[in-house]
């Protein structure tokens, strides 16, 4: 460990007066840890995919899809890989740039282009140019300077939904569109689910889906290793007992029925630490995790912020899903079953149920928002159906939140005449 870090630790703990946290910022979602336990193999796969670059820079463009549910380390793994590769190649005298763009904020080709230009410190006239023309200027610049750019499009699922077909086509089939003989841009597409590509034209899809690296939800023993690293860096020695870490790992481990989401597991650890501190406990105990967990589930990030913005029928659908979950004690249900439950609930509430195609559209929308997850059942053509589950754990708090919002929307309905 570097001396400077220690110094910062001391100052930070002095300022905060914490007896629990040595360096709480290590627990924040933007922190890039120095190790990524259980993603070594995926990093190796990424390296193999980009191997061609090192031998053939200037004449090859690599495309890789990194997919997996929320909290499986897509962002951190790809970013760490990109930065490390850049460092490595720069040391060898090759000019590589790595840009990690988030399509949530850069949701059009125009915004993406501006982001790249600003990263490369390339002044681009804003007026009078189409995004595609601006993009070409960037490409010319890369060619002239002999720079290769790896552009990661994080949350690419969003771009699919928000950008025009022409722009996506242009981005993805860049080298069919540009007359350039040399190739200076490679892509990493990060997606929750590569099934979302099936809404795109085949000619685009086939261009993207060449090399897919899937990240699976973490198992409890994997989460344990991830959490142990954070415990050692963020907390004072011996403040977090092993059984506390084990408890969190089992709560979120995919093999133990949890979501396998590392982000939530780390957040549980942090919130438990804060609760321990507030209670003047010298140790972070399981009871603190339990309390933390009930809080996180109400706060599960952006998802819950989106609930009050949902239309009435989206809320009815979520309520139907919760009802099925409570009744059948299962996490995911076939879409047909959900549709039936939804229709019954509509009848109860005096609402006209939406049509079949609209239901699919709702599911797709909530999937893009990260509220729902879908999965194909079985491989055979016949019994094949889409299974739907919620991305957040269904707790009493979550159910209350949905019920409350649903009631509010119902109360604001126009009075029937
Ligand atoms: N293998 C790992 N080792 C250490 N930390 C991890 C690992 N995987 C995920 N994390 C941490 O978990 C959180 C969620 O990871 P993230 O990359 O944002 O997931 P995703 O992009 O798939 O939603 C981040 O704080 C990240 O640093
Ligand atoms: Mg991410």
């Amino acid at each position: 460990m570097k001396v400077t870090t220690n110094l910062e630790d001391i100052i930070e703990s002095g300022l905060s007066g914490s007896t629990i946290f040595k360096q709480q910022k290590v627990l924040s979602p933007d922190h890039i840890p120095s190790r990524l336990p259980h993603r070594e193999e995926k990093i190796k796969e990424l390296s193999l995919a980009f191997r061609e670059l090192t031998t053939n820079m200037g004449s090859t463009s690599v495309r890789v899809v990194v997919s997996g549910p929320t909290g499986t380390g897509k962002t951190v793994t790809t970013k760490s890989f990109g930065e490390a590769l850049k460092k490595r190649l720069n040391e060898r005298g090759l000019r590589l740039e790595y840009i990690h763009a988030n399509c949530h904020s850069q949701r059009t080709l125009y915004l993406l282009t501006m982001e790249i230009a600003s990263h490369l410190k390339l002044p681009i006239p804003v007026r009078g140019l189409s995004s595609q023309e601006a993009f070409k200027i960037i490409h010319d610049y890369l060619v002239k300077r002999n720079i290769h750019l790896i552009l990661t499009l994080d949350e690419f699922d969003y771009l699919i939904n928000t950008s025009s077909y022409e722009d996506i086509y242009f981005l993805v089939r860049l080298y069919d569109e540009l007359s350039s003989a040399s190739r200076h841009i490679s892509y990493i597409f990060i997606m929750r689910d590569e099934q979302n590509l099936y809404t795109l034209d085949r000619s685009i899809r086939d261009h993207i889906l060449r090399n897919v690296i899937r990240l699976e939800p973490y198992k409890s023993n994997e989460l344990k290793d991830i959490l142990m690293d954070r415990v050692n860096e963020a907390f004072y020695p011996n403040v977090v007992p092993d059984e506390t870490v084990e408890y969190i790992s089992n709560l979120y481990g995919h093999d133990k029925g949890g979501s396998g989401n590392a982000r939530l597991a780390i957040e549980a650890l942090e919130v438990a630490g804060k609760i321990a501190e507030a209670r003047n406990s010298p140790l972070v105990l399981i009871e603190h995790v339990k309390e933390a967990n009930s809080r996180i589930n109400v706060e599960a990030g952006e998802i819950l912020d989106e609930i009050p913005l949902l239309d009435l029928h989206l809320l009815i659908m979520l309520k139907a899903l919760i009802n099925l979950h409570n009744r059948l004690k299962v996490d995911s249900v076939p879409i047909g079953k959900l549709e039936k439950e939804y229709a019954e609930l509509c009848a109860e509430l005096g609402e006209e149920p939406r049509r079949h195609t609209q239901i699919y559209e709702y599911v797709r929308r909530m999937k893009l928002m990260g509220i729902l997850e879908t999965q194909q059942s079985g491989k055979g053509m016949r019994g094949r159906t889409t299974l739907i589950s919620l991305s957040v754990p269904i707790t009493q708090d979550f159910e209350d939140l949905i019920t409350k919002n649903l009631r509010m929307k119902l109360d604001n309905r126009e009075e029937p005449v």
Side-chain angles (χ1 to χ4, degrees):
M1 179 144 290
K2 285 181 297 176
V3 178
T4 49
T5 321
N6 283 336
L7 204 62
E8 279 171 18
D9 286 0
I10 297 166
I11 295 171
E12 194 179 311
S13 74
L15 290 178
S16 66
S18 176
T19 50
I20 297 278
F21 295 110
K22 183 170 71 178
Q23 209 187 171
Q24 196 179 337
K25 65 169 190 283
V26 166
L27 300 169
S28 96
D30 323 315
H31 174 75
I32 307 269
S34 51
R35 277 181 356 132
L36 294 172
H38 304 289
R39 286 298 176 243
E40 294 90 351
E41 246 172 66
K42 302 297 170 182
I43 293 176
K44 183 85 187 275
E45 281 181 45
L46 278 164
S47 313
L48 287 172
F50 281 92
R51 186 164 55 177
E52 248 190 292
L53 260 198
T54 55
T55 49
N56 266 330
M57 207 184 241
S59 60
T60 179
S61 165
V62 177
R63 278 116 222 273
V64 182
V65 174
V66 174
S67 72
T70 311
T72 52
K74 300 183 295 298
T75 300
V76 74
T77 304
T78 309
K79 214 179 242 176
S80 304
F81 165 76
E83 297 296 347
L85 184 70
K86 172 181 161 167
K87 189 157 170 273
R88 204 56 198 279
L89 294 197
N90 290 354
E91 279 165 8
R92 289 205 214 162
L94 296 170
R95 307 183 79 174
L96 182 86
E97 282 297 329
Y98 176 76
I99 299 183
H100 194 106
N102 190 306
C103 301
H104 213 323
S105 21
Q106 277 87 41
R107 54 177 72 210
T108 60
L109 181 59
Y110 175 78
L111 292 172
L112 263 177
T113 308
M114 292 302 131
E115 168 79 11
I116 301 168
S118 107
H119 182 103
L120 298 173
K121 303 196 176 60
L122 185 63
I124 286 207
V126 193
R127 282 166 184 281
L129 284 184
S130 72
S131 323
Q132 297 194 3
E133 284 163 342
F135 203 91
K136 283 176 190 157
I137 292 182
I138 292 176
H139 194 269
D140 288 345
Y141 172 85
L142 297 172
V143 173
K144 207 155 51 197
R145 301 281 173 108
N146 198 23
I147 299 173
H148 193 94
L149 169 66
I150 297 181
L151 178 58
T152 292
L153 300 173
D154 202 341
E155 317 247 17
F156 186 66
D157 316 61
Y158 270 92
L159 198 81
I160 293 179
N161 220 28
T162 52
S163 267
S164 71
Y165 174 81
E166 288 75 28
D167 283 351
I168 294 174
Y169 187 93
F170 173 83
L171 258 182
V172 171
R173 306 211 43 174
L174 191 63
Y175 290 105
D176 301 333
E177 295 282 296
L178 295 182
S179 47
S180 170
S182 54
R183 307 191 156 199
H184 289 262
I185 297 184
S186 292
Y187 291 108
I188 300 178
F189 303 96
I190 300 186
M191 307 190 65
R192 281 207 203 100
D193 186 348
E194 73 262 18
Q195 293 290 327
N196 287 335
L197 289 172
Y198 283 81
T199 56
L200 289 176
D201 204 79
R202 176 144 196 203
S203 61
I204 297 185
R205 195 170 65 230
D206 290 351
H207 245 73
I208 300 178
L209 271 180
R210 287 187 181 164
N211 198 347
V212 181
I213 298 179
R214 277 191 198 87
L215 307 193
E216 303 296 334
Y218 288 113
K219 297 198 189 80
S220 65
N221 67 327
E222 297 173 330
L223 286 177
K224 195 172 162 203
D225 294 333
I226 293 171
L227 289 171
M228 276 320 271
D229 278 2
R230 306 286 171 129
V231 164
N232 291 332
E233 281 188 62
F235 293 84
Y236 285 115
N238 306 323
V239 162
V240 187
D242 283 352
E243 66 244 36
T244 302
V245 177
E246 233 152 69
Y247 184 82
I248 302 176
S249 310
N250 289 337
L251 209 54
Y252 289 93
H254 197 245
D255 53 333
K256 302 279 159 75
S259 59
N261 181 333
R263 189 173 74 92
L264 292 181
I266 294 170
E267 202 180 331
L269 178 65
E270 179 176 22
V271 176
K274 284 196 216 162
I275 292 171
E277 193 155 63
R279 305 263 183 283
N280 285 322
S281 164
L283 297 175
V284 183
L285 302 170
I286 290 177
E287 61 184 82
H288 301 135
V289 177
K290 285 187 182 161
E291 203 178 326
N293 194 44
S294 65
R295 271 195 217 175
I296 289 169
N297 292 340
V298 201
E299 286 164 7
E302 313 102 54
I303 293 177
L304 297 164
D305 294 341
E306 310 216 39
I307 301 293
L309 308 174
L310 296 178
D311 293 343
L312 175 60
H313 280 260
L314 293 172
L315 289 167
I316 299 179
M317 259 184 71
L318 288 179
K319 179 72 177 155
L321 189 55
I322 292 171
N323 289 350
L324 284 172
H325 167 87
N326 289 345
R327 213 166 55 230
L328 307 174
K329 306 278 172 247
V330 289
D331 265 339
S332 53
V333 296
I335 189 163
K337 232 186 199 140
L338 175 62
E339 194 176 347
K340 191 156 162 274
E341 181 76 20
Y342 156 83
E344 281 166 16
L345 196 53
C346 279
E348 245 171 68
L349 300 170
E351 278 289 312
E352 183 71 25
R354 300 287 192 254
R355 283 164 198 271
H356 189 64
T357 46
Q358 186 68 46
I359 305 284
Y360 274 80
E361 173 55 27
Y362 285 162
V363 168
R364 200 180 64 94
R365 222 196 294 167
M366 287 201 276
K367 191 173 156 189
L368 285 169
M369 294 166 95
I371 298 172
L372 294 183
E373 281 167 17
T374 62
Q375 208 188 326
Q376 294 299 321
S377 76
K379 288 261 159 60
M381 281 304 281
R382 250 163 203 279
R384 218 171 123 106
T385 172
T386 305
L387 295 173
I388 302 187
S389 57
L390 271 157
S391 316
V392 289
I394 304 182
T395 57
Q396 190 59 48
D397 284 332
F398 183 74
E399 187 172 345
D400 291 347
L401 180 75
I402 300 294
T403 312
K404 187 182 93 192
N405 279 280
L406 183 56
R407 273 215 204 97
M408 277 185 335
K409 289 269 155 49
L410 285 170
D411 288 347
N412 291 332
R413 265 189 306 197
E414 313 229 315
E415 288 296 322
V417 252

